[in-house]
Amino acid sequence: MAPEVPAGDQLMTVFARMGGLLLSEDTVGSTLTLLTSVATHAVPRAAGAGVTLTGAGGGRQSVAASDALVLTADTLQYQLDEGPCLAAWAERAVVRADDLGTEDRWPRWTPAARAAGVHAVVSTPLVAGDAAVGALKVYSTSPGAFTAGDEHVLALLAAQAAVLVTNVQSYRRAGRLGEDLRATLRRRDVVNQAKGVVMGRDGTTEEAAFAHLLALAHRDGVSVHDAATRLVASAHRRTR
């Protein structure tokens, strides 16, 4: 049986908000910030919570953090290239350190984090399908602060956050593809207009009109689209 989940009303609130979210950078950012607040309150001894997202090029960024302690602990991980958050993301598994005073998995990050006031941490990966996109973590200023129930709460929140983030990434990619398609159609439309101008002016076929555009492009050292744009603009000026 799964451990009892505290702050059920808070969890339902954030899940409902995620489920009905209109995808945009602002709404996603505000929802992830809400998630860190819920995580901080749902895990009784958490001093703060944060969300790290990772990029295809290896970049890491704290996109939401409840306070300065979280940002400090996260930044140390990015600078030193080690720590529980990065381990959770790389291993796609929950990583928990109950006492940084005896922790030896991250020999550079651990003493730096302790000096900043962190003494325990739980981090869980953001995984949706085959993609690991980051991690959700909570820090504590006291050793022995976290339980299996806390891990369960974070796993629930992380699952929702992962779906949200991957949906936004897909939406963004689709937007780029859509813009590329629209640009291609616009270029094609200009070329078709230019062919129409040549066909009407010279009484020639579509193939001959396109050959004329190719010749213009070659002569001027420009693309066919640029040659077509110039020809259409010139035709418009003459009709004014």
Side-chain angles (χ1 to χ4, degrees):
M1 180 180 297
E4 182 179 355
V5 178
D9 290 343
Q10 289 180 310
L11 295 179
M12 290 304 296
T13 297
V14 74
F15 290 169
R17 179 165 179 174
M18 287 179 172
L21 196 63
L22 292 175
L23 297 180
S24 75
E25 298 293 338
D26 290 340
T27 54
V28 170
S30 64
T31 301
L32 292 178
T33 298
L34 171 64
L35 183 144
T36 63
S37 176
V38 170
T40 301
H41 289 90
V43 178
R45 297 180 67 186
V51 176
T52 293
L53 295 186
T54 56
R60 288 78 63 101
Q61 180 182 9
S62 295
V63 295
S66 62
D67 55 39
L69 178 68
V70 174
L71 286 175
T72 298
D74 281 357
T75 300
L76 286 170
Q77 292 192 64
Y78 310 151
Q79 291 174 341
L80 299 173
D81 198 29
E82 65 174 31
C85 176
L86 301 184
W89 165 72
E91 299 167 12
R92 301 191 181 193
V94 175
V95 172
R96 179 170 146 196
D98 288 323
D99 186 356
L100 294 190
T102 59
E103 180 59 58
D104 60 4
R105 283 174 287 183
W106 314 290
R108 292 179 297 167
W109 178 81
T110 297
R114 287 181 62 204
V118 175
H119 290 277
V121 57
V122 177
S123 184
T124 187
L126 305 185
V127 178
D130 295 330
V133 296
L136 168 67
K137 84 298 303 247
V138 289
Y139 296 108
S140 178
T141 55
S142 302
F146 302 123
T147 67
D150 298 332
E151 291 184 18
H152 183 62
V153 170
L154 285 187
L156 290 174
L157 290 170
Q160 294 294 317
V163 171
L164 173 66
V165 170
T166 53
N167 283 346
V168 170
Q169 291 175 340
S170 297
Y171 179 80
R172 192 182 299 148
R173 285 193 295 269
R176 286 198 295 266
L177 290 174
E179 180 55 37
D180 289 344
L181 177 59
R182 287 190 290 272
T184 298
L185 292 175
R186 286 194 296 269
R187 288 193 294 270
R188 184 178 300 171
D189 187 53
V190 170
V191 171
N192 286 335
Q193 289 182 50
K195 286 192 295 185
V197 169
V198 175
M199 291 166 65
R201 184 191 65 194
D202 300 344
T204 188
T205 64
E206 182 177 357
E207 291 78 9
F210 187 66
H212 179 71
L213 288 178
L214 288 175
L216 289 177
H218 179 72
R219 183 196 69 188
D220 297 339
V222 298
S223 68
V224 172
H225 172 262
D226 288 342
T229 300
R230 293 177 182 180
L231 192 149
V232 170
S234 176
H236 285 169
R237 286 194 297 270
R238 287 197 300 270
T239 58
R240 289 177 182 173

